Amino acid sequence: MTKLSRLFVYAALGILASACGSARDDEGGGQGGTGGSGGSGGAPTTSAGPGGGGGLGTHPTEPSTPTRGGTMTFTNVGAPGWWPRRIDREAGDPACTYKDGTDTWGGHCCMKEQHTTSTTLAPFDEEMTLIMKAIRLKQLAVYQPSEGASSWPLVSSWDAQSGHGSNLVVTEGQMTSADFTGDLTKKDCVNYFMQEAQFSCGDGKDYYCPNDPGINHLGWSGSKLIVFLGSMTFDDADVKKCDGDGQGHAGPWVAFVASELIRDGGRKWNGLCNCYSKTGTVGDGCGEINVFEVVLDNNQYSNREFMSTGVRSYQEGHVGGNVCGEGCDRDAFADDVEVVDACAKKAYTSGPEIEVGGGADGCPVWRRPIGDRYFMILLDEKQREIQVAVIHPEKIPAAAAEMLPLLPGALSRDTIDALLSMRLPE
């Protein structure tokens, strides 16, 4: 295996080490349960709740050295295919076409092949849940297209100035609330962000639903834009374990995953009975995006000063997810740089593109930001693209001017196209 291949594989596996302890101990995952009603591809239908009215408005930011911003653009996203889906059937039921065995903790596991013919983002057009840890969050906005897709209204939001959210719940363990401080750096708990509406559980025969009320809320399906203002600047020594006992894992993590994946009975960590992989390799299942991950695993691949971005699904397995390990030095790059090539050890002069099933512009990684940034992930069915961006509050590009810093109540389709066209730095 080449050094570069090892980097790819390690970054893909690294996320498992980023979680705080066992899901059974820290995350409150339930066992058994019922199932959900059918929507796109047999998944529950997502209904967007009320948005933030006139929008969130400008939030004060902490001064820091302005940067030129950065993007990573994933193209050619979506293909027909299938992933393993857990269902609640008795042992020996002929519906258990993929697996009829045991889950991670010895319970029964029945899984079937869940097929889709969609080519527009699939499987990321399915319902998805946002995950965060080790970040100071100040604002969060979720936009989705209206009927006809001429505009993208604000459908979910949260603002630290008001201290509460609209059509948004946040779950840590079994504590679910739209009212939280936004400071996720005190403990290394995994936090789940979802819509207020409950996930509709049926008899479980076609869609497994765990006895886990904390995560039984709808995610966001179809096209969606997540943008948040936050900071990853804090003292690692101040991060405690999720239970408050001892030093915690201080690596920031933002992920956008198939909602189905966290309904496995162990919140994604039921590795022997979830939709994460269909072949046992890394991530060739129902879909997971490590939007921003700082790898801190005390080995040669770890470096607290850089972040990884990777896309995983049945379409091509693991795409992106490069790391810049112990040989990388953030001070080797200019202070205004956000995105760098980990292989060439050079800053990009234009935002890199990564084609799913094709080539990539080098080995893109992020320098971990110092101070506040706007972080964005945009998934668009029309263009079949995923756009990930880091934008400094004092250097907002023209393409994002309708969105930032006001985070208004709606965005035009023209703005969505402009955001997709960004190749920062420009």
Side-chain angles (χ1 to χ4, degrees), residues 12-94:
L13 292 172
I15 195 63
L16 297 178
S18 296
C20 65
S22 164
R24 302 298 291 178
D25 297 333
D26 298 335
E27 298 308 314
Q31 291 182 335
T34 54
S37 57
S40 173
T45 301
T46 301
S47 57
L56 295 182
T58 303
H59 191 289
T61 58
E62 298 174 6
S64 63
T65 302
T67 64
R68 294 180 291 150
T71 58
M72 292 186 195
T73 309
F74 294 82
T75 63
N76 190 39
V77 182
W82 67 274
W83 61 91
R85 168 169 287 178
R86 187 175 192 182
I87 56 178
D88 197 7
R89 304 276 185 126
E90 296 294 328
D93 193 300

Side-chain angles (χ1 to χ4, degrees), residues 157-189:
S157 61
W158 179 85
D159 189 286
Q161 295 181 108
S162 64
H164 65 270
S166 174
N167 187 38
L168 187 77
V169 294
V170 185
T171 290
E172 174 195 312
Q174 283 298 331
M175 304 212 28
T176 301
S177 174
D179 304 320
F180 75 118
T181 67
D183 189 351
L184 309 179
T185 69
K186 301 303 183 186
K187 297 186 294 182
D188 67 359
C189 303

Side-chain angles (χ1 to χ4, degrees), residues 210-258:
N211 181 21
D212 188 0
I215 53 89
N216 281 345
H217 292 265
L218 291 177
W220 296 272
S221 63
S223 296
K224 46 247 176 184
L225 163 62
I226 310 286
V227 58
F228 63 93
L229 175 65
S231 172
M232 298 181 182
T233 304
F234 55 86
D235 189 340
D236 291 1
D238 292 339
V239 181
K240 305 302 181 185
K241 289 184 178 179
C242 192
D243 60 9
D245 184 16
Q247 178 67 47
H249 187 280
W253 179 35
V254 178
F256 205 27
V257 308

Side-chain angles (χ1 to χ4, degrees), residues 314-375:
Y314 64 78
Q315 183 181 358
E316 280 295 326
H318 184 60
V319 178
N322 303 288
V323 296
C324 207
E326 61 185 9
C328 288
D329 180 4
R330 71 171 293 121
D331 294 332
F333 305 97
D335 289 343
D336 65 351
V337 168
E338 298 279 15
V339 60
V340 304
D341 187 334
C343 295
K345 300 295 193 296
K346 292 182 179 179
Y348 284 96
T349 57
S350 180
E353 296 185 7
I354 306 98
E355 181 184 2
V356 178
D361 296 335
C363 310
V365 300
W366 310 91
R367 288 208 317 163
R368 178 174 175 172
I370 296 175
D372 290 341
R373 296 292 191 278
Y374 288 104
F375 300 88

